[in-house]
Amino acid sequence: MSKATVSGTKPAAPKEHHGIDHSIDLGHGNSPAAWTCVIVMLIGALIASIAFVIANTPVFWAGIAVMFVGLLAGYIMRKAGYGVGGSKIKNTGH
């Protein structure tokens, strides 16, 4: 082991963001479309996981299909106006 001490280090130079504007609030997906998509996909993942553990191939693929249904439901709801900033959502400022 070396007994040399670490001398003063220079602060790190600020990193460039390559033209990305980080001041825009993205909303974090808090919308009925996003929540529906995530909940249905979680149910599908649960089904597929349990089927994987018990080695049941048809039920596993059914769980995967439920995950795709959740993805499709979220997309359809977003297009119907239930996504972030959608026309059917009451804007509460949150």
Side-chain angles (χ1 to χ4, degrees), residues 30-45:
N30 291 330
S31 68
W35 280 103
T36 301
C37 178
V38 168
I39 290 170
V40 173
M41 290 181 77
L42 281 172
I43 292 169

Side-chain angles (χ1 to χ4, degrees), residues 33-89:
W35 280 103
T36 301
C37 178
V38 168
I39 290 170
V40 173
M41 290 181 77
L42 281 172
I43 292 169
L46 178 66
I47 293 168
S49 299
I50 292 170
F52 183 81
V53 170
I54 64 173
N56 191 332
T57 304
V59 175
F60 171 79
W61 286 111
I64 299 297
V66 170
M67 291 173 65
F68 279 109
V69 167
L71 190 62
L72 184 63
Y75 177 77
I76 291 170
M77 287 182 71
R78 182 177 58 130
K79 289 297 183 184
Y82 292 100
V84 173
S87 61
K88 304 227 174 128
I89 296 179

Side-chain angles (χ1 to χ4, degrees), residues 9-34:
T9 58
K10 295 181 182 179
K15 294 182 180 179
E16 292 183 23
H17 292 99
H18 303 290
I20 298 172
D21 185 7
H22 291 284
S23 64
I24 299 171
D25 184 25
L26 299 177
H28 301 289
N30 291 330
S31 68

